[in-house]
Amino acid sequence: MRAKEYIALEDQYNAHNYKPLDVVLERGEGVWVWDVEGQRYMDFLAAYSALNQGHAHPRLVRVMREQAGKLALTSRAFRNDQLPLLAQELCELTGYEMMLPMNTGAEAVETAIKLARKWGYSVKGVPDNRAEIITCQGNFHGRTTTIISFASEPEYKQGFGPFTPGFVTIPYGDAAALEAAITEHTVAFLVEPIQGEAGIVLPPAGYLASARAICDRHHVLLITDEVQSGLGRTGKLLAAEHEGVRGDIVCLGKALSGGMYPVSAVLASRDILGLFQPGTHGSTFGGNPLGCAVAREALRVLVEEGLIERSAELGAYLMQAVQQIDSPYIQQVRGRGLWIGIELTPEAGGARRFAEALQREGLLCKETHKNVLRLSPPLVITREELDWAMERIARVLQR
Ligand SMILES: *Cc1c(COP(=O)(O)O)cnc(C)c1O
């Protein structure tokens, strides 16, 4: 079948909740993907950072195959031999005492919200049903009804009310606004160390450290959503490390399974995660042996292949190359590690047309928020492959 026919089928039978580039992929390897007509492209999006380890990493494929043939799912009604090892390895790697496994990033965030509320009632002494969580304008934490309740993007919300109460929204990057928003009912501040979907928005230097200090001062939990920023994307294991900050609750997802399978997790201390009692929270697939086995290997690949250091090193190289592009369309370039947003001027006519032009050049990336071109290749990319990409990005932006 030709690409056109797949697209027609998808448009007929699949809900139109996305506007993908019209490229129909059938195979991937490392940073490269091939479409159904045999055309090769470089993947410069990496599934929004879920593919930090690259497509079809041989070690992940092997573990996936082996574990699928052994034991895929037990449900949490029984124990399995992979969950305890993932829990231990993830906690040792990140320095947290406990973890709770889920599947998608949104579920990790939902878990963090429930956990913070439970902590608020049972530890902080907030009166029943009065807990407040502070969130930021421009946030992206997933698509569930509760999470979109505190989204500021109208597209995410319109037509989906009524919304879950208990959330307050403040400007991102404004520590004074955080302190001013805290009340005796505030249980947590939920924040992305760098806002990914908003267009790779970096807060002012020192913001996270200030937020940490403010949360400590007011007995409020700091929840860092590292679903996209974590696991090497910014050149550190967790993006909050750039400011020496540790969230009380951390959400991980995306690259936790190297793109093989949905695996997410919440990390926290025993004082906090220990508040969940049997029956209070769960997931049929969360903690399944297939997901756990592949996540264990995905973490080992990240560390053993030096992908975190590579992101820092090649990210600086990419940033320099992007900054050297002389284009009337570039308004601002920002990012950290192999995660760069190119904000275009209003005259550029939107980022979509540049993403489409890059597709014709054999490079796949995606616009975010109309006027930002997002660069986030798999972290396994080489310097030569980056040069290959930069040649095309520069050409398209200079046209
Ligand atoms: C992608 C993302 C999520 C949601 O993850 P899903 O797996 O799509 O549910 C949550 N938070 C952040 C910061 C994300 O980038």
Side-chain angles (χ1 to χ4, degrees):
M1 250 188 347
R2 308 264 305 173
K4 265 201 180 73
E5 299 169 75
Y6 285 105
I7 292 167
L9 273 183
E10 183 172 325
D11 285 350
Q12 182 179 351
Y13 291 109
N14 188 60
H16 296 184
N17 56 325
Y18 277 92
K19 188 172 181 260
L21 287 179
D22 281 338
V23 58
V24 183
L25 301 173
E26 67 169 13
R27 186 162 73 84
E29 197 183 308
V31 299
W32 298 101
V33 286
W34 286 263
D35 73 8
V36 291
E37 287 163 17
Q39 183 72 42
R40 185 182 79 151
Y41 304 86
M42 187 183 286
D43 182 352
F44 232 64
L45 176 65
Y48 307 97
S49 222
L51 286 159
N52 287 2
Q53 298 87 340
H55 289 273
H57 194 292
R59 288 176 60 176
L60 299 186
V61 172
R62 186 178 49 77
V63 167
M64 199 63 191
R65 283 213 174 100
E66 281 178 12
Q67 189 63 42
K70 256 170 91 179
L71 185 67
L73 181 63
T74 52
S75 84
R76 296 288 304 280
F78 313 129
R79 296 178 190 262
N80 70 69
D81 69 348
Q82 293 300 311
L83 174 57
L85 298 176
L86 172 63
Q88 179 186 28
E89 289 161 11
L90 184 58
C91 286
E92 284 178 359
L93 180 65
T94 55
Y96 283 86
E97 289 175 339
M98 287 182 119
M99 69 92 121
L100 188 154
M102 296 294 281
N103 312 284
T104 64
E107 287 173 303
V109 173
E110 287 276 353
T111 301
I113 290 168
K114 288 173 72 174
L115 185 55
R117 285 178 169 181
K118 195 156 202 62
W119 174 87
Y121 300 128
S122 56
V123 177
K124 185 165 174 168
V126 172
D128 244 11
N129 294 321
R130 300 293 299 276
E132 288 167 6
I133 294 177
I134 300 173
T135 65
C136 290
Q137 264 155 31
N139 72 70
F140 183 84
H141 298 287
R143 300 293 198 160
T144 64
T145 13
T146 286
I147 292 172
I148 61 160
S149 299
F150 52 84
S152 50
E153 180 65 31
E155 237 183 7
Y156 299 169
K157 302 186 73 161
Q158 254 161 36
F160 298 129
F163 299 114
T164 307
F167 299 97
V168 174
T169 301
I170 59 168
Y172 184 61
D174 183 346
L178 170 61
E179 190 144 39
I182 292 174
T183 71
E184 62 198 293
H185 297 150
T186 305
V187 296
F189 174 47
L190 168 62
V191 67
E192 296 159 86
I194 291 176
Q195 287 188 330
E197 295 312 293
I200 329 279
V201 176
L202 280 78
Y207 173 63
L208 274 190
S210 303
R212 174 71 276 176
I214 291 166
C215 287
D216 286 342
R217 196 147 64 229
H218 296 277
H219 204 211
V220 165
L221 298 179
L222 176 64
I223 306 174
T224 50
D225 180 350
E226 298 254 15
V227 170
Q228 193 165 162
S229 61
L231 302 177
R233 178 51 59 187
T234 68
K236 299 269 189 198
L237 178 65
L238 300 176
E241 287 172 27
H242 288 286
E243 295 203 351
V245 165
R246 288 171 59 76
D248 298 299
I249 302 176
V250 183
C251 302
L252 293 178
K254 294 198 166 109
L256 186 50
S257 65
M260 280 285 156
Y261 195 83
V263 180
S264 67
V266 163
L267 301 167
S269 64
R270 195 172 313 281
D271 288 354
I272 298 172
L273 256 177
L275 295 171
F276 277 133
Q277 296 295 316
T280 55
H281 191 54
S283 160
T284 303
F285 280 85
N288 72 75
L290 183 56
C292 289
V294 78
R296 293 178 63 204
E297 192 70 1
L299 291 174
R300 279 194 290 265
V301 165
L302 206 65
V303 172
E304 289 169 14
E305 295 192 0
L307 298 184
I308 302 165
E309 297 78 10
R310 189 185 194 85
S311 175
E313 215 179 287
L314 291 186
Y317 180 71
L318 179 64
M319 177 58 96
Q320 203 178 24
V322 174
Q323 279 168 340
Q324 274 165 9
I325 302 174
D326 181 20
S327 162
Y329 301 129
I330 298 180
Q331 177 136 320
Q332 193 191 37
V333 179
R334 49 186 186 239
R336 193 161 257 169
L338 281 169
W339 204 26
I340 291 175
I342 305 177
E343 185 169 339
L344 304 177
T345 60
E347 296 76 48
R352 176 80 181 195
R353 72 183 185 95
F354 292 95
E356 287 169 356
L358 284 168
Q359 178 190 343
R360 290 189 289 274
E361 299 273 342
L363 188 130
L364 299 179
C365 67
K366 191 75 167 55
E367 80 278 6
T368 173
H369 278 257
K370 300 259 183 318
N371 63 341
V372 180
L373 209 53
R374 167 197 346 226
L375 311 180
S376 67
L379 306 183
V380 294
I381 197 165
T382 64
R383 194 175 287 255
E384 292 67 37
E385 287 164 337
L386 273 182
D387 290 339
W388 186 97
M390 275 315 302
E391 206 183 301
R392 282 149 184 86
I393 292 166
R395 197 187 305 150
V396 160
L397 282 167
Q398 280 163 346
R399 216 172 264 158

